[in-house]
Each structure stands twice: as C-alpha cells, then as structure tokens.
C-alpha cells in the first residue's frame, strides 16, 4: 500500500486545530503537514508557512512532501466576509482554484473541501432543508461556497478528481475560538459561562440554527474521506446535521450547570445572516450513502464543552 502524505491548509483555524491530531493519529505524525499563514505558538508537528492564494508556494509544498491528500480548510467565514466582500471572494476562490489545479496536475488522490449551511438562502425550505434545494445565499461567503461546490463537481466530472465535501453546520468546539462565523456565539457563550460572566448574544433568543459538536464534525469528515468511492453519490457537498437549538435553549442547557448564568440578547448585522439560513437539515443522503449518524445532542455537547473548558478556566467555586 502506498504511503499517504496529507496536507492541511488552514491548519491553525477552528477545525484544523482539532482535525490535525486526528489525522496525525491516522496517518502518523511524520505524514501530516500542517500549513497556514503564520506559525502557531507551539508547532504541532511538521508545519509550513503557506499563503494558499499563491499557486507556486502551494505547488512547492506539494512537491516537497510528495503530498497525496489535501484538506483545504482556509477560508474567510460568513460574518468576517461581509466586512470586505471582494477580499473574501478573492481569497476563497483563489485558494480553492489553486488547490483544484495543484491536485489535478500532481495526481492528488483525495481532496476535502468543506462547504457550509451558508450555501442555502431565502428560497430553500427552512426546516429539514433537503440535500437538493435552491441555493441562493445571502452572503459573499455563501456565494463562494456554492461556487466551490460546483467547481468541485466540475473537477470530478472533467478530470476524475476524487474530491469530497460536507456542508458543515455551525461547529462547536473547545480546542480553539471560531474564526468569524455567524454561529460563533455558541462557542463564546461557554467561555463567558466558565468565567462567571454574563453573555451578550449577537442573535435573538429564538434564532434556531443547525449546529454540530466538533467530535461529530471530525468523525463525519474522516468517515466520508474513508468511504469507498462507489458509496459517494454527491460530488457537490453532502448535507450534514448534528443538532438544532436557539440561544435561549443553549442558555438553559448551560444554566443546568451554572444556575446564575445569564444571556442578554443584542442582535446585530449577523441576525439577518442567521435568518437567511436553514433551521434544521435533512442529512438522509449522507446517512444512506456512507452511514452517517451524529452522536451529540444539546445536553451531551453542553456536558462535553463544560468538562473540557473547566481545564482551561479555574473553577468558579473552590472546594472548601
Ligand atoms: P477558521 O477561520 O477558524 O480558520 C481558517 C484558517 O485559514 C485560519 O487559520 C487562517 O489563518 C487560514 N487562512 C486564511 N487564509 C489563508 C491563506 N491564504 N493561506 C493559508 N491559510 C489561510 O475557519 P474554520 O472554522 O476552521 O473553517 C474551516 C473550513 O470549514 C472553512 O472552509 C469554513 O468555511 C468551513 N466551515 C466552518 C464552519 C464552522 O462553524 N467553523 C461551518 C461551516 C463551514
């Protein structure tokens, strides 16, 4: 069996930070190359400073390590992208096209390019949004994800590239802070609660959104990437569901641990983005094709977040 060498682009981000150790465990730490714009404070193995908008720099890394698989996680997310739409579009598209081209030219065996629930817009059904729905996103981020889905399908059909994708819901994790999305509140709220602070939520209390705990998001990613090609029927991007909840429901789940915890609701520009997204997702095609099943619901995710962040923050009440 040929040795696999895996490149993660955007490895310092919310998902990359958590995915890296899992890929190192699967492929061996000398066979996984982490890459991002800047070196992290502690280098978690082999690391390359890489700006993926530069095709030559990306090609150099692929050649240097004889890369066989790419996880392309670099992107500007939904809320951040709205501050400078053309910058977000250029970065998201340039990095994508560079990854697709280097993969085609250097016979990369498998590529992972995540999409998002942000690909959906006003005219997709809001509840149990089906796999095949109209995609008319409200943000430049969503537009770039729809374009990426179609480019992925094109490279698969035209060049036979084995490219796979998931439409991640909002990802909740303790390993690092999220990078500027509309679901970021669902991570920040735990950091406030663990520090004994009230939380200012930028969405209204009844904003129902699809979310997923990081463990489920990573397992879905690795299961999709390991599935035999014959089981992959979707080459744009698979719908993926974990759970759906509102800020009020999440606050109540946290109050089970910290009864005095309070959330104040101060919706800002991100409310309109959230309102344009699905409220729940139908992921039955992923379930049928490669056996996807989430393991975390709201109570289980809340317990895991509080348990893991208690290590980071000192306990609020010291033992007598
Ligand atoms: P993030 O913002 O936390 O991390 C992105 C990383 O990409 C950062 O470390 C950044 O430095 C790096 N990067 C940016 N420009 C780069 C460039 N030119 N070259 C190399 N690296 C560059 O994002 P994330 O939350 O880890 O998301 C990863 C992927 O998953 C993205 O495609 C995102 O759209 C998708 N996604 C994430 C979520 C979520 O809730 N986190 C939800 C849906 C989809």
């Amino acid at each position: 069996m040929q040795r696999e060498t895996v490149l993660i682009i955007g490895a310092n981000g919310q998902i990359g930070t958590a995915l890296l150790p899992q890929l190192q465990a699967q492929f061996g730490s000398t066979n996984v190359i982490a890459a991002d714009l800047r070196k992290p404070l502690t280098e978690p193995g082999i690391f390359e400073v890489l700006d993926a908008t530069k095709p030559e720099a990306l090609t150099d890394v692929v050649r240097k390590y004889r890369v066989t698989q790419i996880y392309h996680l670099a992107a500007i997310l939904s809320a951040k992208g709205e501050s400078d739409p053309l910058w977000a579009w250029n970065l998201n598209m340039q990095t994508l096209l560079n990854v697709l081209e280097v993969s085609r030219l250097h016979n990369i065996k498998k590529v992972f390019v995540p999409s998002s629930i942000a690909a959906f817009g006003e005219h997709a059904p809001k509840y149990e949004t089906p796999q095949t729905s109209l995609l008319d996103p409200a943000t430049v981020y969503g537009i770039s994800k729809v374009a990426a889905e179609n480019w992925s399908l094109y490279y698969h059909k035209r060049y036979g590239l084995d490219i796979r994708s998931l439409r991640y819901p909002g990802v909740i994790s303790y390993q690092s802070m999220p990078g500027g999305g509309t679901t970021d509140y669902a991570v920040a709220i735990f950091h406030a609660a663990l520090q004994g602070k009230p939380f200012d939520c930028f969405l209204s209390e009844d904003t129902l959104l699809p979310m997923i705990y990081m463990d489920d998001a990573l397992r879905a990613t690795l299961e999709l990437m390991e599935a035999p090609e014959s089981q992959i029927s979707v080459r744009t991007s698979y719908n993926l569901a974990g759970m759906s909840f509102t800020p009020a429901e999440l606050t109540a789940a946290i109050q089970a641990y910290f009864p005095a915890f309070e959330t104040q609701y101060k919706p800002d520009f991100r409310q309109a983005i959230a309102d344009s997204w699905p409220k729940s997702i139908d992921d039955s095609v992923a379930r049928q094709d490669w056996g996807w099943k989430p393991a975390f619901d709201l109570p289980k995710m809340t317990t895991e977040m509080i348990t893991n962040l208690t290590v980071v923050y000192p306990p609020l009440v010291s033992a007598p």
Side-chain angles (χ1 to χ4, degrees):
M1 207 169 73
Q2 194 201 327
R3 198 187 71 162
E4 298 290 340
T5 306
V6 181
L7 172 63
I8 311 181
I9 304 168
N12 296 352
Q14 188 196 4
I15 294 173
T17 302
L19 179 63
L20 179 63
Q22 296 226 354
L23 290 176
Q24 287 171 329
Q26 184 174 341
F27 294 101
S29 50
T30 54
N31 298 321
V32 181
I33 294 90
D36 207 300
L37 291 171
R38 275 170 285 280
K39 279 195 176 196
L41 288 177
T42 47
E43 273 184 53
I46 304 173
F47 189 90
E48 286 280 337
V49 173
L50 172 69
D51 180 350
T53 62
K54 307 265 187 295
E56 305 80 17
L58 176 57
T59 303
D60 286 349
V61 172
V62 166
R63 278 211 183 110
K64 178 175 171 185
Y65 294 98
R66 296 168 190 257
V67 169
T68 61
Q69 296 191 22
I70 298 179
Y71 286 70
H72 174 44
L73 304 179
I76 303 301
L77 272 63
S78 58
K80 204 168 159 188
E82 292 307 289
S83 66
D84 191 342
L86 292 186
W87 165 68
W89 170 259
N90 286 332
L91 191 139
N92 290 357
M93 296 319 297
Q94 264 177 27
T95 57
L96 171 79
L97 293 173
N98 290 342
V99 166
L100 293 176
E101 271 300 274
V102 84
S103 300
R104 176 177 77 86
L105 294 170
H106 293 270
N107 300 317
I108 300 296
K109 289 200 288 186
K110 276 188 205 168
V111 183
F112 179 73
V113 176
S115 186
S116 162
I117 54 163
F120 297 110
E122 195 186 339
H123 292 98
K126 290 275 180 247
Y127 289 91
E128 292 297 306
T129 307
Q131 174 68 44
T132 305
S133 302
L134 190 72
L135 301 175
D136 57 347
T139 59
V140 68
Y141 171 70
I143 298 171
S144 75
K145 288 299 184 192
V146 174
E149 290 188 10
N150 286 312
W151 273 112
S152 299
L153 177 63
Y154 181 84
Y155 266 70
H156 175 69
K157 280 189 170 167
R158 171 100 197 245
Y159 303 114
L161 187 63
D162 187 356
I163 184 159
R164 305 179 183 200
S165 178
L166 297 168
R167 289 177 181 145
Y168 287 136
V171 180
I172 301 166
S173 68
Y174 62 88
Q175 290 92 338
S176 65
M177 293 302 279
T182 302
T183 52
D184 290 9
Y185 90 85
V187 175
I189 194 170
F190 284 100
H191 289 262
L194 268 287
Q195 293 175 83
K197 295 178 183 167
F199 181 64
D200 285 347
C201 184
F202 58 74
L203 298 180
S204 66
E205 61 183 310
D206 56 353
T207 308
L208 184 63
L209 284 172
M211 303 276 186
I212 193 166
Y213 187 54
M214 182 64 87
D215 287 24
D216 269 347
L218 296 182
R219 188 167 54 78
T221 306
L222 298 175
E223 285 178 6
L224 171 69
M225 291 300 275
E226 285 304 304
E229 268 206 87
S230 58
Q231 285 176 228
I232 309 296
S233 71
V234 175
R235 290 294 181 165
T236 48
S237 188
Y238 277 100
N239 274 11
L240 183 74
M243 62 192 96
S244 285
F245 56 77
T246 66
E249 288 166 344
L250 179 54
T251 298
I254 294 172
Q255 283 168 339
Y257 292 84
F258 304 108
F261 177 66
E262 276 183 17
T263 298
Q264 289 155 2
Y265 299 95
K266 299 177 179 173
D268 66 14
F269 72 99
R270 287 167 280 196
Q271 184 67 48
I273 299 176
D275 289 343
S276 75
W277 287 357
K279 296 182 185 301
S280 60
I281 297 289
D282 172 0
D283 62 358
S284 51
V285 181
R287 288 171 185 253
Q288 277 157 25
D289 279 6
W290 41 275
W292 166 243
K293 194 168 184 271
F296 286 84
D297 58 10
L298 176 58
K300 194 170 169 196
M301 177 276 288
T302 304
T303 306
E304 284 286 306
M305 284 295 285
I306 290 174
T307 306
N308 284 295
L309 285 176
T310 302
V311 180
V312 178
Y313 296 106
L316 295 178
V317 184
S318 24

